[in-house]
Amino acid sequence: MAVVTGRISKKASTIHEDGALGDVHFWEKKLKRHYFLTLGPYGDTPMQSVDATPEELRQAIGREDLSPEQVAQAFCRLFTRDNVRNFFPPDASSGDGIRALRALRFFILTCHVTATSHGAGATQDFRIRLGELLDGGDREQGVRGVNLMWRALASAVDGKRQQGEPWRQIVLPNPGRETRIGYALRLAKPSWVDRRALRAVMKSLPERTFEDRFTLLDAIHARRAELPLWLKSEVRELHKSYRAAPAALFGNATWQLISSIASDMLRSGEKRRAPLWQLTAVFSGWDGDQVDLQLARGMREADLAKPIWTRDIGTADLHRYMTSDSRVQAI
C-alpha cells in the first residue's frame, strides 16, 4: 500500500464502495478460517509463523479481482489508533482470551506491519511502520500489550482445542529483548524483504519449472543461497521432508508462500498457467472393496479441495472406470 499523495484513482476509490471489504465480520470470518482453523490451507500444522503479506491477505479473503495493494488498503482501514490502543492495553492478561478470539484481525495486523511492502516505508521500526499504516502519521506508541494479547490468544486457543474445536495450535516464539512486540516481530514470516527475495529467485526460473511441484521446489532449493538465512533453512527442510514424504508439502507454511508467489506470477502473466491435478482414492467397506475416487483440478492448492469428478465403485470395476472415463484419462 503506497503512501498516497494527490488525487486517488477511480479504481482505488471503488474499494470504499465495496461493502464486504469494510465489514469487520467479513474479515473476521475469512481470517479465522484461513489462518487459525485446521479447515484452512495450513491444516492442523502449528502456527509458528504468519504470512500477513498483502498477497496472502488477498488469498485469505478470496478477492483475486483486486490487487494486493487494494486488499491491504481495505484491511488497514479497519483500524484506528484508538481501537488499536484499546485492544492492546498495557494491563492485558489471560482473562482477555475471549476478547482475543473475537477480534483476530488485530493479531494479523501486528504481523502485517512487518510483512507489507506497501505504505509503511523502508524502515524496520515497528512503531513507525504501524503509524504510517494507520493514518500516515507519527509512530504509534500504544503497543505495550501486543505480547500480552498474543499470550492470551494462544491460551484461549489451547482451551478450544481441548474442547475438540478445529483450531491450530499457536506456538509463540522467544520474543527476545522485545518484551512488548517480540511475538509479532518473530511470527511475521515472511517479511516484505523475504518475499521480494524469493520472488526474484522464482522470476528467474524457466517456465517449465512451474509445471511440476517438485521441479519448482528443486529449482528453488538449488538457488537457496540467494535467500535470507531463515528462509534458506526452511526451504532446505521442506525439500528434505518432501523427498521422504510428498504429502508433507500440503499445509506447510513455506510451500504456501511458494504457492502464493507462483499464483501471483501466473495471474500477472509472468509465467504460463499450469494447472494442478490430484486423484484421490478412499477405500472403505468390510473388506476394503469399495473405493471413492475424486479428481480435482485447480491453479492453487486450495482449489484441490473441490473435486470436479467423483465415482463410488467396487474395486472390481475400478479398471473399467479408469480406462473408460475420458476425464480420468486426461491425467
Side-chain angles (χ1 to χ4, degrees):
M1 179 177 64
V3 177
V4 179
T5 57
R7 300 175 62 186
I8 300 177
S9 70
K10 182 177 180 180
K11 182 178 181 180
S13 67
T14 59
I15 298 177
H16 293 289
E17 302 168 7
D18 191 320
L21 292 179
D23 183 0
V24 168
H25 300 293
F26 167 81
W27 281 93
E28 284 295 315
K29 179 181 178 181
K30 295 293 187 178
L31 296 177
K32 179 180 179 180
R33 182 180 180 88
H34 187 82
Y35 289 104
F36 296 93
L37 296 186
T38 60
L39 308 173
Y42 298 99
D44 196 26
T45 57
M47 181 186 284
Q48 297 176 298
S49 63
V50 177
D51 182 346
T53 57
E55 292 81 2
E56 189 71 7
L57 285 178
R58 179 173 64 177
Q59 288 200 20
I61 66 171
R63 289 299 302 268
E64 296 181 358
D65 56 310
L66 300 175
S67 70
E69 293 83 359
Q70 287 177 308
V71 173
Q73 287 173 354
F75 177 63
C76 288
R77 287 194 186 99
L78 300 174
F79 307 98
T80 65
R81 289 183 185 261
D82 284 342
N83 66 26
V84 167
R85 292 169 185 170
N86 290 335
F87 188 76
F88 296 111
D91 59 347
S93 68
S94 59
D96 288 298
I98 295 178
R99 188 166 65 91
L101 292 171
R102 293 173 177 169
L104 298 171
R105 63 192 182 279
F106 285 93
F107 297 96
I108 301 302
L109 172 67
T110 65
C111 295
H112 182 69
V113 171
T114 298
T116 186
S117 58
H118 308 290
T123 179
Q124 296 186 31
D125 187 300
F126 181 91
R127 293 166 177 81
I128 293 177
R129 293 176 67 84
L130 178 57
E132 286 283 347
L133 290 173
L134 291 175
D135 56 22
D138 297 334
R139 65 169 60 215
E140 174 53 53
Q141 299 288 6
V143 295
R144 292 174 60 188
V146 169
N147 277 5
L148 298 173
M149 286 301 294
W150 265 106
R151 204 174 299 144
L153 176 64
S155 178
V157 166
D158 285 343
K160 291 290 186 181
R161 286 172 58 85
Q162 290 173 8
Q163 295 170 15
E165 296 190 27
W167 289 76
R168 295 173 64 200
Q169 179 188 13
I170 298 176
V171 180
L172 295 176
N174 184 336
R177 292 183 295 178
E178 296 286 354
T179 58
R180 296 177 178 176
I181 58 174
Y183 292 146
L185 292 177
R186 287 162 177 75
L187 280 170
K189 293 179 181 178
S191 68
W192 62 274
V193 175
D194 299 329
R195 190 178 179 98
R196 183 176 61 184
L198 180 55
R199 187 185 181 97
V201 168
M202 294 173 64
K203 189 174 183 179
S204 67
L205 300 176
E207 282 191 354
R208 64 179 180 275
T209 307
F210 290 76
E211 296 180 0
D212 175 78
R213 292 189 191 94
F214 185 71
T215 301
L216 176 58
L217 181 56
D218 206 28
I220 295 172
H221 180 260
R223 299 273 297 275
R224 65 188 183 281
E226 302 171 41
L227 300 174
L229 184 60
W230 80 270
L231 191 52
K232 182 194 310 182
S233 175
E234 291 295 319
V235 167
R236 182 175 60 249
E237 290 303 311
L238 176 60
H239 187 263
K240 183 192 303 182
S241 62
Y242 183 55
R243 278 187 173 276
L249 210 61
F250 297 96
N252 181 278
T254 305
W255 179 250
Q256 286 295 129
L257 170 61
I258 294 171
S259 296
S260 172
I261 294 175
S263 295
D264 192 51
M265 294 174 71
L266 293 168
R267 189 183 303 108
S268 65
E270 293 180 58
K271 299 294 180 183
R272 181 169 58 85
R273 297 181 71 84
L276 302 173
W277 290 87
Q278 177 175 283
L279 178 63
T280 304
V282 180
F283 291 86
S284 60
W286 288 105
D287 300 312
D289 56 353
Q290 290 295 122
V291 59
D292 178 23
L293 293 176
Q294 298 180 353
L295 179 65
R297 176 185 184 278
M299 302 309 302
R300 301 175 302 164
E301 299 288 345
D303 297 333
L304 301 182
K306 300 177 180 178
I308 61 171
W309 174 88
T310 61
R311 282 291 187 277
D312 185 5
I313 59 178
T315 52
D317 298 319
L318 179 58
H319 179 72
R320 179 167 59 86
Y321 276 106
M322 291 292 286
T323 56
S324 65
D325 195 298
S326 61
R327 282 169 292 188
V328 175
Q329 290 178 340
I331 298 179

